Amino acid sequence: VSAWVVEKLYESWRQTFLATKTFFEARTDHQHLVIFENPQFGRVMVLDDVIQVTTGDEFVYHEMLTHVPMLAHGNATEVLVVGGGDGGILREVLKHKQVTKAVLVEIDQGVVDMSIEHMPSVSAGAYDDKRVEVVIQDGVEYMAEDGQKFDLIIIDSTDPAGPGEVLFTESFYKNCAKRLKPGGIFTCQNGVPFMQGDELTDTQHRRKPHFKDAAFYVAAVPTYVGGFMALGWATQDPSYRKLGADVIRKRYDANPFPTRYWTPDLHVASFALPRYVQELMEK
Ligand code: SAM
């Protein structure tokens, strides 16, 4: 039987999906997890009443959070993903042949297991890749340890409510800066600024003391409704953000891989921000 599933993210505005079949619904150790089928978006994963991934549009988010820093860096070999239990970021990271190690730190084993079982196209075998190491732990604890450093740190978190809240604190950003190798880049999901403006302003203030270059870039993800989504960008090297499409294209052509959203031109264009987003950064 079909049912309407309502996303409860905002006080006064809600997105609704027709669920034609429910594959899984349970409380994991950390969150309420539901996976259902929608005729338009395919399999949809919901955590604590908030849409996380759909098999129909996940490519936008996963490609942009991964390939922009990968291509800007040019030679990232060791990558850390925090959150991202669905495996979509890992799948995109592994498209880069020079990557020798990808560590995923996810708080909720249930998300990993249910994604592999019910949304296998998202991880697409990433969890079987020898380069991947999975750590089931709170990302905040992991980052506070004096451990290995990475070329790239990608935060694929839930929104700043529930278990994901700690991934938006200043002390977390400070520890991320410490766990980057020289020339390393940090990216994170930062919500939809038209709807979650404070989140963008707060992130900017909390990162700024710890990175020479703290910025955002944007992507249009259909199920993160409300206009562009903001992706956070932070590094000690401001030159990465100024690389032209010719440089990015040359790097890509030397080692091409399939994409559906990311292109060298779009890579460069995604750093151009609407004025209302610039204003939120400066608030
Ligand atoms: N791409 C989607 C999005 O942007 O919403 C999916 C995000 S992914 C499913 C978010 C993951 O972050 C979840 O699997 C959740 O369990 C994990 N997570 C939340 N808080 C965490 C924490 N403190 N440490 C590690 N992982 C965390």
Side-chain angles (χ1 to χ4, degrees):
V1 275
S2 296
W4 287 93
V5 175
V6 182
E7 176 180 50
K8 299 187 189 83
L9 181 56
Y10 303 121
E11 283 290 312
S12 60
W13 185 35
R14 285 178 178 181
Q15 157 171 233
T16 310
F17 290 82
L18 184 68
T20 49
K21 186 173 176 191
T22 300
F23 296 96
F24 183 83
E25 171 159 20
R27 269 216 71 80
T28 68
D29 292 342
H30 299 274
Q31 302 158 104
H32 182 237
L33 169 61
V34 184
I35 299 176
F36 64 82
E37 180 76 19
N38 172 268
Q40 176 73 48
F41 288 100
R43 302 262 167 118
V44 181
M45 181 200 286
V46 186
L47 283 174
D48 292 342
D49 291 320
V50 178
I51 305 299
Q52 298 295 316
V53 202
T54 86
T55 53
D57 73 351
E58 51 88 7
F59 67 95
V60 179
Y61 174 88
H62 290 134
E63 288 183 17
M64 288 301 281
L65 210 46
T66 307
H67 300 317
V68 176
M70 284 298 290
L71 271 292
H73 185 286
N75 191 29
T77 57
E78 297 183 311
V79 179
L80 173 65
V81 183
V82 176
D86 52 69
I89 295 284
L90 282 179
R91 179 196 70 210
E92 296 302 318
V93 166
L94 296 171
K95 286 181 179 175
H96 296 265
K97 294 199 187 84
Q98 84 273 12
V99 169
T100 55
K101 190 166 188 191
V103 179
L104 180 98
V105 180
E106 161 65 60
I107 200 170
D108 195 338
Q109 178 79 51
V111 175
V112 176
D113 294 343
M114 288 306 114
S115 301
I116 292 171
E117 188 172 341
H118 298 294
M119 306 178 89
S121 68
V122 180
S123 52
Y127 286 111
D128 300 324
D129 194 294
K130 287 194 179 63
R131 295 172 287 172
V132 169
E133 182 192 328
V134 177
V135 180
I136 299 298
Q137 189 182 355
D138 189 324
V140 159
E141 286 172 19
Y142 180 91
M143 209 60 87
E145 292 166 6
D146 185 21
Q148 191 194 338
K149 292 188 186 322
F150 297 90
D151 299 302
L152 180 54
I153 296 177
I154 300 176
I155 313 300
D156 179 11
S157 65
T158 46
D159 285 317
E165 193 169 357
V166 289
L167 304 177
F168 291 81
T169 54
E170 187 181 337
S171 59
F172 179 67
Y173 296 134
K174 183 178 169 190
N175 288 331
C176 287
K178 278 198 212 150
R179 296 290 292 267
L180 282 175
K181 292 191 219 169
I185 302 175
F186 162 100
T187 59
C188 65
Q189 78 88 1
N190 222 101
V192 171
F194 187 84
M195 297 301 297
Q196 297 161 309
D198 289 348
E199 192 182 316
L200 191 130
T201 304
D202 290 347
T203 296
Q204 189 60 358
H205 288 301
R206 292 169 189 169
R207 286 182 318 183
K208 254 189 157 166
H210 309 292
F211 294 92
K212 277 204 193 90
D213 190 37
F216 295 92
Y217 58 116
V218 290
V221 183
T223 54
Y224 301 152
V225 286
F228 277 125
M229 160 166 223
L231 303 173
W233 176 271
T235 168
Q236 311 300 353
D237 185 346
S239 71
Y240 286 136
R241 220 154 40 90
K242 312 225 155 43
L243 293 172
D246 46 344
V247 176
I248 300 298
R249 187 172 298 108
K250 216 168 144 195
R251 288 181 182 175
Y252 175 72
D253 287 345
N255 211 345
F257 49 85
T259 68
R260 292 174 66 202
Y261 188 87
W262 183 93
T263 69
D265 289 320
L266 189 110
H267 174 122
V268 174
S270 69
F271 287 106
L273 300 178
R275 180 95 62 201
Y276 76 89
V277 178
Q278 288 179 352
E279 284 170 359
L280 286 167
M281 285 172 70
E282 285 153 17
K283 237 170 108 175

